Amino acid sequence: MTGSILVVDDEKGQREILQAILTREGYRVTTVPGGKEAMSKLDEEEFDLLLTDLKMQGMSGMELMEQALAANQRQCVVIMTAHGTVDSAVEAMKKGAFDYLEKPIEREDLLLTLQRAFEHIGLLRENQVLQRKLAETMTVPNMIGEHPKIREVFRVINKIAPTTSTVLVYGESGTGKELVARAIHDGSPRKEKPFFAINCAAIPDTLIESELFGHEKGSFTGAGSREIGIFEAANGGTVFLDEIGEMNVGMQAKLLRAIQEKEIRRVGGKVNVPVDVRIISATNKDLEAEIKRGQFREDLFYRLNVIRISLPPLRERGSDIAALADFFVRKYSSAAGIPLKGIAKPALKLLLNYSWPGNVRQLESVIERGVLMTESDYIEPEDLPVEIHEDGTPAARLPFEFPAEGISIETLERDLIVKAMDRAGWVISKAAPLLGMSYKTLQYRLEKFGIEKP
């Protein structure tokens, strides 16, 4: 048997006997003569099990157990008690002791009790690990998916939600950045406090400071009364700043100060107001590139980018498209009172082959339309908008099948130019826009290929 035991007994002979028996059994044993010495040892290192006498000079075994459990509620404690004080030992078990041993201690009783105690310790540790793993793989409310990329997002959310760290969420439009922010808030100790979301791209530069920090009466035209901003309203809670990359550099400096100093100043105000908010921000821009262009402050980026979560676009989530589509069918058929059975296989194939530039938001919109348009029990291909029928990949947009023998780019370009010129009545200025070229570029290509009006 292995494991560490701290033996506490004010009788030297008893300590020596216990040390000899337990060491022979493979335990790592440390002995001390009293409660104060035991607490000093527990401060220095961890012991799997605390084996203590109940009646001792100075601090009693009961007091020692209470202090040890207050410092570490998972500490396993076994009490040793003299005959006649069994009632006290039972009281100790009510207060958290694992078991008790009655003196004089029989070797077999001692080893059997410790074996059970260590089995209990092992189960507690296994449970802790399983609970942690379960927490890391739990799904996130209102977010659906089994693809490894989205499961990794769920794992990170569940891991960092209980912390106070600022979070930066990267993702294309429509991938669910606000859902991530809400999930982090709901999984945090701040969940009972307010959650405010603000889209930095939707508010004019002249108003965003007032929106975030509030303003005093008369601070600008139309400010007829004092108004508190989102930071004050969300005190103790979470503020989600969507499209943070659109915030102007001047406002970025004020946001940085608010994060660093944990206080804001209302527009037109002279007093600093302390605020306690957790910042979660989101962007679909490459902020490192914006920093190089001078459009985003590097110091603010490092403040916001403590934890980074990258949301995968829907096109990279494979079978999640089908699961999400089914969810939206149930949602909108129930809302509309239309008893649909699902999506027909040909329609589902179109959904799976589409590239989804608008991500989950676009899929939701397409399914809502399909539910309202369908005239059967299933959403059929004709119930889907025209863009879904035209696969989003560039290859699928070609108006011909790629020949097995290959093609000549130069021949293809020449034929396209001839066709455009023919369409435009051989007027260069009209043909150039059809090919996405300037007048000069098309003129150069005509000369290069020796193309002349027939």
Side-chain angles (χ1 to χ4, degrees):
M1 199 75 179
T2 59
S4 56
I5 301 175
L6 178 61
V7 175
V8 191
D9 199 312
D10 55 3
E11 294 178 24
K12 186 182 179 187
Q14 184 75 14
R15 293 197 304 273
E16 289 174 349
I17 291 168
L18 289 170
Q19 182 160 29
I21 293 171
L22 298 177
T23 303
R24 199 176 302 125
E25 291 296 319
Y27 293 108
R28 298 188 304 280
V29 182
T30 302
T31 64
V32 290
K36 287 183 179 177
E37 294 87 345
M39 285 308 300
S40 296
K41 277 287 178 190
L42 288 169
D43 285 340
E44 291 170 14
E45 58 183 301
E46 287 185 17
F47 291 88
D48 296 321
L49 188 136
L50 176 61
L51 179 61
T52 179
D53 193 11
L54 189 60
K55 298 285 185 183
M56 295 186 291
Q57 295 293 321
M59 186 188 291
S60 72
M62 189 78 80
E63 288 176 278
L64 169 60
M65 182 191 74
E66 288 174 349
Q67 288 191 27
L69 288 173
N72 177 9
Q73 61 183 9
R74 295 191 184 91
Q75 181 67 65
C76 188
V77 182
V78 174
I79 296 285
M80 297 180 289
T81 180
H83 181 66
T85 57
V86 171
D87 288 348
S88 299
V90 171
E91 181 66 22
M93 287 182 67
K94 287 179 183 177
K95 290 184 176 180
F98 172 74
D99 205 346
Y100 72 91
L101 290 161
E102 198 172 343
K103 288 183 175 180
I105 295 169
E106 294 289 335
R107 180 178 180 278
E108 292 305 316
D109 286 346
L110 170 67
L111 297 181
L112 188 61
T113 299
L114 294 186
Q115 183 183 340
R116 287 194 303 105
F118 273 91
E119 285 171 0
H120 172 72
I121 291 164
L123 286 171
L124 283 179
R125 287 178 179 164
E126 185 180 352
N127 187 48
Q128 269 181 273
V129 171
L130 289 172
Q131 290 284 353
R132 190 167 65 244
K133 287 188 179 296
L134 179 64
E136 288 177 3
T137 56
M138 277 170 60
T139 55
V140 169
N142 301 319
M143 294 188 78
I144 294 166
E146 292 297 330
H147 191 276
K149 286 186 177 180
I150 202 71
R151 299 301 299 181
E152 175 62 14
V153 169
F154 295 165
R155 188 188 74 82
V156 174
I157 289 172
N158 285 307
K159 197 155 194 169
I160 59 98
T163 71
T164 57
S165 299
T166 56
V167 181
L168 181 58
V169 186
Y170 274 88
E172 294 176 10
S173 180
T175 47
K177 297 189 286 293
E178 185 169 340
L179 288 179
V180 169
R182 284 189 179 275
I184 292 169
H185 173 75
D186 291 343
S188 77
R190 297 171 178 264
K191 64 183 175 184
E192 303 301 329
K193 299 292 185 178
F195 173 92
F196 281 96
I198 184 169
N199 188 324
C200 300
I203 299 171
D205 289 350
T206 51
L207 295 179
I208 193 163
E209 184 179 359
S210 170
E211 190 76 18
L212 291 178
F213 301 154
H215 61 258
E216 297 290 351
K217 181 180 179 179
S219 55
F220 54 84
T221 305
S225 61
R226 170 192 283 176
E227 296 285 348
I228 67 166
I230 281 172
F231 270 58
E232 277 187 83
N235 197 39
T238 305
V239 172
F240 174 55
L241 301 172
D242 199 4
E243 306 292 358
I244 189 74
E246 302 296 333
M247 184 179 282
N248 68 73
V249 177
M251 189 61 217
Q252 288 173 30
K254 292 172 182 175
L255 175 61
L256 175 64
R257 185 186 176 281
I259 294 170
Q260 286 177 332
E261 305 298 329
K262 291 184 167 48
E263 60 184 25
I264 54 99
R265 183 177 290 186
R266 300 187 196 104
V267 176
K270 295 181 174 62
V271 178
N272 292 334
V273 181
V275 288
D276 167 30
V277 293
R278 182 183 194 175
I279 305 289
I280 302 173
S281 48
T283 184
N284 56 17
K285 286 188 169 184
D286 181 348
L287 291 187
E288 282 99 332
E290 293 295 298
I291 290 167
K292 288 175 184 173
R293 291 176 53 229
Q295 297 299 308
F296 203 85
R297 290 182 64 111
E298 189 171 12
D299 45 7
L300 176 60
F301 172 74
Y302 289 121
R303 283 281 178 180
L304 299 176
N305 192 44
V306 176
I307 304 286
R308 180 188 296 217
I309 295 177
S310 295
L311 275 175
L314 185 56
R315 62 184 171 275
E316 293 180 8
R317 290 174 55 184
S319 60
D320 280 356
I321 295 170
L324 284 160
D326 284 339
F327 171 78
F328 292 134
V329 167
R330 291 194 302 273
K331 176 181 175 180
Y332 287 106
S333 61
S334 174
I338 302 170
L340 282 187
K341 291 181 180 175
I343 304 168
K345 282 187 178 178
L348 183 59
K349 188 176 179 183
L350 287 173
L351 296 177
L352 292 171
N353 287 338
Y354 187 60
S355 61
W356 299 108
N359 293 294
V360 180
R361 189 184 292 130
Q362 183 188 10
L363 174 62
E364 182 172 5
S365 173
V366 164
I367 297 299
E368 183 180 11
R369 178 189 188 276
V371 167
L372 298 174
M373 294 296 291
T374 189
E375 294 180 2
S376 71
D377 291 340
Y378 293 89
I379 293 176
E380 301 286 351
E382 57 267 26
D383 303 320
L384 301 175
V386 66
E387 67 265 19
I388 306 300
H389 294 263
E390 300 167 358
D391 190 304
T393 60
R397 291 200 295 269
L398 286 171
F400 58 85
E401 287 299 318
F402 208 95
E405 69 276 8
I407 59 168
S408 162
I409 291 290
E410 286 208 351
T411 303
L412 181 62
E413 185 179 1
R414 188 183 193 286
D415 291 347
L416 282 171
I417 290 171
V418 169
K419 194 161 189 173
M421 290 296 289
D422 199 45
R423 170 78 65 85
W426 291 86
V427 177
I428 295 176
S429 59
K430 289 182 180 179
L434 296 176
L435 295 162
M437 294 180 184
S438 68
Y439 184 96
K440 283 187 177 179
T441 302
L442 180 52
Q443 193 174 39
Y444 167 76
R445 292 284 205 281
L446 289 167
E447 291 171 4
K448 174 186 171 184
F449 290 118
I451 297 170
E452 293 178 354
K453 183 177 179 180

